[in-house]
């Protein structure tokens, strides 16, 4: 009886810790998601929203080329940003973990995360000033004689990618660095003793052990990038609309809440597929 009573106390204590987070999730995720799903099944008739409970909005999404293109644009930008960020972040994380003295690593990490201390909007407008026709890059290239006319860099997909990469390289650096510093050095020494060269040690030992850090950072990059509205709007302009921009247009200009909800569900579906693809690496415990 005493053991059962102690177990009940532990269960109540556990539920006491879990309940606030559970209530928060229900109130601010589950209920809004249910409401949004219900609205996506409605129909906008004139200025009224009629709960028709049909899939017409989803059918329209696949039938209207500009809506479908918005999803593809978002996916292309997101995959490009994720790949470039990984390629840039891995060497940076390796340099901090392996080449920077341990007493200076904390300072190096602080310098690496400085972009997080700046407002998202400020960073985007700063890049707009740098990439504009009369911006720093064009003025410098004209001054040294590399080009005669300013290049069109702002309000393009490339500008959007640059703005995203500047932010997400630092995020990936942190997740990869965390795996690198936890990796026992004896693994690499053992591989070297068995005759493996530097590339073989990296490919068969270091890369597999740091893959969880890469995938966690890549997933966070995917989620934050595909749902971002500010950076594509400021740096990409309206020349090529990503899905978040189309959602805002449905809300701001057309007041078509059912279609906006439908596009949001589609966006969440893409994030869910990304999670399923990365789920095996998104674990808290190390194996």
């Amino acid at each position: 009886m005493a053991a059962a009573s102690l177990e009940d106390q532990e269960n109540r204590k556990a539920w006491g810790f879990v309940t606030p987070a559970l209530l928060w999730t229900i109130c601010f995720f589950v209920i809004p998601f249910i409401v949004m799903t219900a609205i996506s099944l409605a129909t906008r008739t004139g200025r009224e929203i009629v709960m028709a409970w049909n899939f017409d909005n989803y059918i329209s999404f696949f039938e209207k080329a500009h809506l479908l293109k918005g999803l593809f644009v978002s996916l292309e930008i997101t995959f490009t940003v994720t790949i470039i960020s990984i390629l840039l972040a891995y060497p940076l994380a390796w340099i901090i973990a392996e080449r920077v003295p341990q007493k200076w690593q904390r300072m190096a990490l602080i310098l690496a995360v400085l972009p997080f201390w700046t407002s998202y909007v400020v960073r985007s407008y700063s890049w707009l000033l740098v990439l504009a026709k009369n911006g720093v890059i064009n003025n410098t290239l004209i001054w040294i004689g590399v080009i005669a006319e300013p290049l069109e860099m702002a309000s393009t997909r490339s500008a959007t990618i640059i703005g995203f990469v500047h932010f997400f390289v630092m995020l990936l650096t942190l997740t990869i660095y965390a795996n690198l510093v936890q990796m026992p050095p004896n693994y690499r020494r053992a591989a070297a003793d068995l005759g493996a060269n530097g590339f073989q040690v990296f490919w068969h030992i270091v890369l597999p052990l740091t893959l969880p850090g890469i995938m966690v950072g890549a997933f966070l990059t995917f989620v934050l990038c595909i749902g971002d509205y500010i950076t594509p709007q400021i740096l990409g302009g309206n020349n090529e609309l990503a899905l978040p921009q189309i959602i805002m247009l449905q809300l701001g200009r057309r007041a078509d809440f059912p279609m906006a909800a439908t596009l949001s569900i589609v966006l969440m579906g893409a994030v869910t597929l990304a999670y399923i693809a990365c789920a095996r690496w998104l674990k808290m415990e190390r194996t």
Side-chain angles (χ1 to χ4, degrees):
M1 293 295 293
S5 177
L6 182 59
E7 185 177 353
D8 291 339
Q9 291 179 4
E10 292 296 328
N11 288 335
R12 285 194 296 269
K13 186 183 294 185
W15 277 107
F17 287 117
V18 171
T19 299
L22 189 61
L23 291 175
W24 181 275
T25 302
I26 292 173
C27 293
F28 296 101
F29 178 76
V30 176
I31 294 176
F33 179 75
I34 293 173
V35 172
M36 186 171 65
T37 303
I39 294 175
S40 72
L41 300 176
T43 301
R44 178 172 171 266
T45 305
R47 295 188 177 184
E48 296 183 357
I49 297 176
V50 180
M51 298 306 297
W53 303 107
N54 56 48
F55 294 93
D56 290 350
N57 292 321
Y58 293 93
I59 296 173
S60 297
F61 169 76
F62 290 102
E63 289 180 345
K64 294 180 179 179
H66 69 283
L67 297 179
L68 199 58
K69 182 182 178 182
L71 175 61
F72 289 138
V73 168
S74 293
L75 290 174
E76 289 169 3
I77 291 175
T78 301
F79 280 119
T80 303
V81 168
T82 302
I83 292 172
I84 295 176
S85 298
I86 291 173
L87 294 177
L88 294 177
Y90 203 103
L92 178 58
W94 186 84
I95 290 172
I96 295 175
E98 300 292 334
R99 290 292 179 261
V100 176
Q102 190 171 5
K103 65 179 181 179
W104 295 108
Q105 287 184 11
R106 183 175 297 180
M107 179 60 67
L109 290 174
I110 292 175
L111 294 175
V113 300
L114 278 179
F116 288 103
W117 299 0
T118 309
S119 167
Y120 211 63
V121 177
V122 171
R123 282 199 307 271
S124 298
Y125 275 113
S126 298
W127 273 111
L128 185 63
L129 294 175
V130 171
L131 299 173
K133 278 191 173 182
N134 59 345
V136 175
I137 295 179
N138 274 319
N139 287 339
T140 302
L141 293 177
I142 292 174
W143 180 67
I144 63 178
V146 175
I147 58 175
E149 298 292 333
L151 302 174
E152 292 286 348
M153 291 183 289
S155 299
T156 62
R157 180 186 295 195
S158 299
T160 301
I161 292 173
I162 290 171
F164 275 135
V165 168
H166 172 234
F167 179 75
F168 292 119
V169 161
M170 306 311 164
L171 178 64
L172 275 154
T173 299
L174 293 178
T175 60
I176 296 172
Y177 170 84
N179 271 157
L180 285 171
V181 295
Q182 294 179 48
M183 184 174 56
N186 290 336
Y187 290 174
R188 285 174 287 181
R189 295 170 186 165
D193 290 341
L194 292 173
N197 57 36
F199 176 78
Q200 290 172 327
V201 171
F202 170 78
W203 187 255
H204 295 288
I205 304 297
V206 178
L207 184 60
L209 291 176
T210 55
L211 194 58
I214 296 173
M215 297 307 296
V216 168
F219 177 71
L220 292 175
T221 299
F222 186 94
V223 173
L224 295 174
C225 184
I226 198 171
D228 188 273
Y229 165 77
I230 298 297
T231 301
Q233 183 67 21
I234 296 176
L235 294 178
N238 293 317
N239 297 325
E240 190 178 45
L241 296 180
L243 198 57
Q245 291 174 283
I246 297 177
I247 293 173
M248 293 301 297
L249 288 175
Q250 298 295 323
L251 293 172
R253 295 188 181 181
R254 300 190 59 196
D256 193 345
F257 292 93
M259 181 54 73
T262 300
L263 298 179
S264 300
I265 295 294
V266 171
L267 202 59
M268 289 190 64
V271 172
T272 302
L273 292 176
Y275 173 79
I276 293 173
C278 301
R280 59 178 296 189
W281 293 283
L282 304 180
K283 298 180 180 179
M284 294 298 294
E285 71 274 5
R286 292 179 59 87
T287 55

